[in-house]
Structures are given as structure tokens and as C-alpha cells.
């Protein structure tokens, strides 16, 4: 039986574009809705791109009906934790209110499957070594809260309607497509590996280590870094799962172990082959000390088998893309 078409919001962004690439390679019919605020038209490849906002209900309803959409993958969001602390309403507006509008359109159009980009930030400062999906939700920044509220809307809507969903809680996504065709060109990036690679290629003067007094082995923040291609694959597996009749579920996406900021800096220096200009700085608002996933559930339920659990490989693909950016060879340069 032919599968329905897929709407990917935020498909021109960093993570969304890697998912779009995998979906189109698998022969899926994909429509991207992206306002290009941080995404790039070039990143969507052969997929159809509609430039617009997820909060625009008239546009979204039109798209769902005209393309016969039965699955929605929702990436469009603001994602910068410290910005969410200084400008919370920006995050509640885009991440929560616009998701509510999108869900209203989905309900009206009878969309059956919804895959939501959630975040490890819903756990706040977790107790213990690693978070399971059942760990308490206690976000410490507006970003995490804005996403958690969307999870709750999805939970309630799935209970009240025929919609089924998978909420994927991403840990720290990094790396770029190993074939070098797409990558992370996000302007004014704040992500550690991206920033470190910008320093390595000379596009940024120095790397600040935000906090050296955390209760971690070397005093710097620890995160579970996952390659974007593995994360993208989890979305395709989640779609298969829903199409196969799977129940709504929330799943962590990480590798289950973490690296400190200093360990990441070491890896970037190793891969780049030279030292980075690094400076120690105070803690950044909204940052928890440690975030590591227990991700067994995604593996067992979806059959997800990550392929790139290797920090140096992750860094290498990031650095390759960064070099192309520095040379002006790719979009976003
Ligand atoms: C990232 C995601 C967030 C997600 C979270 C899940 C983005 C923009 N952020 O946030 O959506 O909820 O993972 O874990 O997608 N650091 C430095 N110097 C820098 C940059 C970062 O020391 O220049 C440190 C941070 O203090 C932190 C670690 O590196 O300890 C990772 O930070 P970052 O890469 O910004 O990601 P998160 O804030 O964890």
C-alpha cells in the first residue's frame, strides 16, 4: 500500500534537513515547511520547500489537505538554551503556541502520525547517572518547559483522537552528513562542537569553557553527543513504528555515555591536529551539569541501531563541514 505524504516542519534546518535527506533517499513523498529563519533552502535537496510558518494555520491546513499528508515530523523550533532564559516568551510563542496551532490543523485534517522533536532539557538536573524516559520532568530553562508543554499537548490529543505520536527526546546532536552534502550552517551557533570547529578553522577567535566548577570529574559540563545521522535514522524508524500500528510513546535519543567539555576540546584538537584558543569562563545560565541518556527503549522498540557512536568521527564530520564553510564552498558560508 502506498504511504501518505509527509510534512516536515523545520526541514531546512540542521537536524530536519538530515531527516529530509534520509526520507527522500528512501523514496518518501516529502513537503518541507520552513520559515528559513535559521534554515537554508539549499539544505532540502529535492524535496518541495514551502516557505512559511508553522503558526500560520491557514497555510498549514492548506498544505495538509493539498498534499494528502498523513504524517507530520515537527522540527521547527527555537533551540538555544541561554536565549530561552533571557527571552522566554519567544520560546513559548514559537515552540509551544505554534505547536498547538499545528496540532489543531493536524486534528482537523485527520493526520495519523506525528513525530515530535523533544529534548533532554525536559529532565532539568537529573538525579543519578543517566535519565530514563521515566525520570522526573523538571526543566530548568524555558526551552525545556516549552518542549515539555508540547509533549503534554500531544499526550492529551493522542488520548482524545486517532492521532498517534512518537516524542523523541534528543540529547546533544552533533556532526554533519559524512558525504559532505549537508551540514550545520546555523548562524550564530552556540553548540559546543560547532563552536569548537569554528575556532579550529579560524572563523571564531576563541572557545569559552562555560563553567569549570561543576560536580563532574573534570569540573566541566558532561553531555551525551549523538551523531545527527543516527538521530535522523531514529525518526525513520519511529515513522515505520507508527505506520505499523505502534502506540504513542516517548523515547530518549542518545548513546548512553557522556563527554565533558574538556574531552570534546581534546577531541577537536586531536582531529584538527592543532591546539585551540580556549578560555575558562563562568557557568552559562540554564546549563545542567550532566545530561546522559538511557536509550534502551528506542533500541528495543524501534530496532534503532546507532552507527556513529564515536566522538572523533562526530568531530571529523563537523570539522569537514566547517572547513567547507570557511572556504565559502557551501550554503551558509
Ligand atoms: C543542546 C541543545 C538543546 C538540547 C540539549 C540537550 C541546541 C542549540 N542546544 O543544549 O536544544 O536540549 O543539548 O542536552 O541545539 N559549552 C561551552 N562553550 C561553548 C558552548 C557550550 O563550554 O561555547 C558547554 C555548555 O556549557 C555545556 C556543553 O558545552 O556544558 C554543551 O553545550 P551546548 O553544545 O550549547 O548544548 P546544550 O546547552 O547542552
Amino acid at each position: 500500500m502506498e504511504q501518505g505524504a509527509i510534512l516536515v516542519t523545520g526541514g531546512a534546518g540542521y537536524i530536519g534537513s538530515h531527516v529530509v535527506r534520509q526520507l527522500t533517499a528512501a523514496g518518501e513523498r516529502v513537503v518541507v515547511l520552513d520559515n528559513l529563519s535559521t534554515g537554508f533552502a539549499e539544505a532540502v535537496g529535492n524535496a518541495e520547500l514551502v516557505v512559511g510558518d508553522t503558526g500560520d494555520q491557514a497555510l498549514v491546513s492548506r498544505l495538509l489537505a493539498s498534499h494528502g499528508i498523513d504524517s507530520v515530523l515537527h522540527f521547527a523550533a527555537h533551540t538555544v538554551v541561554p536565549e530561552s532564559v533571557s527571552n522566554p516568551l519567544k520560546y513559548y510563542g514559537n515552540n509551544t503556541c505554534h505547536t498547538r496551532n499545528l496540532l489543531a490543523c493536524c486534528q482537523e485534517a485527520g493526520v495519523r502520525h506525528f513525530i515530535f522533536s523533544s529534548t533532554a532539557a525536559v529532565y532539568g538536573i537529573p538525579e543519578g547517572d543517566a535519565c530514563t524516559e521515566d525520570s522526573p520532568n523538571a526543566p530548568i530553562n524555558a526551552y525545556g518547559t516549552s518542549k515539555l508543554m508540547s509533549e503534554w499537548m500531544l499526550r492529551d490529543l493522542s488520548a482524545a483522537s486517532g492521532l498517534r505520536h512518537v516524542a523523541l527526546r534528543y540529547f546533544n546532536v552533533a556532526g554533519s552528513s559524512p558525504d559532505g552534502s549537508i551540514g550545520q550552517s546555523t548562524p550564530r551557533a552556540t553548540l559546543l562542537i560547532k563552536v569548537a570547529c569554528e575556532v579550529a578553522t579560524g572563523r571564531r577567535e576563541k572557545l569559552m569553557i562555560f563553567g569549570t566548577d561543576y560536580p563532574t570529574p573534570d569540573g566541566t559540563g558532561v553531555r551525551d553527543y549523538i551523531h545527527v545521522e543516527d538521530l535522523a535514522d531514529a525518526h525513520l524508524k519511529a515513522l515505520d513504528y507508527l505506520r505499523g500500528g505502534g502506540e504513542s510513546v516517548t523515547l530518549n535519543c542518545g548513546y548512553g555515555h557522556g563527554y565533558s567539555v574538556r574531552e570534546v576540546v581534546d577531541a577537536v584538537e586531536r582531529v584538527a591536529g592543532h591546539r585551540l584558543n580556549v578560555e575558562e569562563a563562568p557557568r552559562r545560565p540554564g546549563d545542567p551539569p550532566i545530561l546522559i541518556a538511557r536509550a534502551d527503549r528506542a533500541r528495543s522498540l524501534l530496532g534503532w541501531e546507532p552507527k556513529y557512536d564515536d566522538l572523533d568521527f562526530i568531530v571529523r564530520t563537523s570539522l569537514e563541514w566547517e572547513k567547507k564553510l570557511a572556504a565559502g564552498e557551501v550554503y551558509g558560508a
Side-chain angles (χ1 to χ4, degrees):
M1 191 182 83
E2 203 198 344
Q3 303 288 1
I6 302 166
L7 176 69
V8 181
T9 76
Y14 167 47
I15 300 172
S17 63
H18 285 81
V19 175
V20 166
R21 193 59 63 102
Q22 289 193 13
L23 287 170
T24 49
E28 299 281 357
R29 287 183 292 136
V30 178
V31 186
V32 171
L33 174 63
D34 198 300
N35 65 10
L36 300 184
S37 61
T38 55
F40 297 89
E42 298 92 325
V44 308
N46 297 327
E48 179 182 345
L49 170 65
V50 176
V51 179
D53 229 90
T54 47
D56 182 344
Q57 281 185 257
L59 171 64
V60 173
S61 290
R62 220 167 39 240
L63 274 180
L64 295 177
S66 63
H67 289 76
I69 304 285
D70 77 351
S71 302
V72 172
L73 276 63
H74 180 35
F75 297 90
H78 296 312
T79 60
V80 181
V81 171
E83 185 191 42
S84 80
V85 176
S86 58
N87 193 357
L89 295 186
K90 178 174 175 180
Y91 280 69
Y92 292 118
N94 192 32
N95 296 3
T96 312
C97 299
H98 284 186
T99 298
R100 188 255 161 225
N101 291 351
L102 173 65
L103 287 174
C105 297
C106 290
Q107 183 179 23
E108 169 116 6
V111 168
R112 294 190 303 161
H113 313 129
F114 196 98
I115 300 178
F116 177 60
S117 303
S118 191
T119 171
V122 301
Y123 297 118
I125 301 180
E127 284 174 21
D129 292 340
C131 314
T132 74
E133 290 84 354
D134 304 320
S135 297
N137 295 142
I140 58 166
N141 49 58
Y143 171 66
T145 310
S146 72
K147 289 281 185 172
L148 184 58
M149 288 161 75
S150 295
E151 281 195 17
W152 288 341
M153 285 191 287
L154 264 172
R155 176 197 64 195
D156 296 343
L157 181 60
S158 293
S161 72
L163 184 89
R164 283 172 296 112
H165 74 275
V166 175
L168 296 175
R169 291 181 176 159
Y170 307 164
F171 283 66
N172 285 63
V173 190
S176 286
S177 173
D179 72 7
S181 58
I182 49 174
Q184 192 180 10
S185 283
T186 318
R188 299 172 301 283
T190 57
L191 289 180
L192 176 63
I193 292 181
K194 166 94 178 155
V195 169
C197 289
E198 287 178 353
V199 175
T201 55
R203 295 186 92 209
R204 193 185 284 245
E205 193 204 332
K206 65 183 166 198
L207 173 74
M208 314 288 274
I209 296 186
F210 296 131
T212 54
D213 59 348
Y214 283 109
T216 59
D218 68 15
T220 66
V222 172
R223 296 289 185 277
D224 186 338
Y225 294 92
I226 166 176
H227 195 282
V228 65
E229 290 285 1
D230 278 335
L231 181 69
D233 179 52
H235 290 75
L236 272 74
K237 297 269 189 321
L239 186 60
D240 282 349
Y241 165 83
L242 288 173
R243 283 173 169 170
E247 293 297 316
S248 295
V249 69
T250 299
L251 300 170
N252 284 342
C253 286
Y255 290 145
H257 55 86
Y259 295 99
S260 72
V261 176
R262 289 194 204 281
E263 287 172 320
V264 170
V265 172
D266 288 347
V268 175
E269 291 182 339
R270 208 161 42 236
V271 173
H274 59 85
R275 300 299 299 269
L276 301 187
N277 185 13
V278 172
E279 194 173 297
E280 296 187 358
R283 293 182 182 194
R284 196 175 62 172
D287 276 352
I290 303 180
L291 270 177
I292 296 174
R294 282 283 304 274
D296 325 28
R297 199 180 282 178
R299 286 170 169 78
S300 59
L301 201 64
L302 305 182
W304 177 57
E305 285 173 20
K307 292 204 290 267
Y308 303 115
D309 180 2
D310 174 341
L311 182 61
D312 283 23
F313 180 81
I314 292 173
V315 166
R316 190 166 307 119
T317 61
S318 292
L319 192 58
E320 288 304 314
W321 184 258
E322 213 53 52
K323 284 180 182 165
K324 289 187 181 188
L325 278 172
E329 292 170 359
V330 288
Y331 60 84

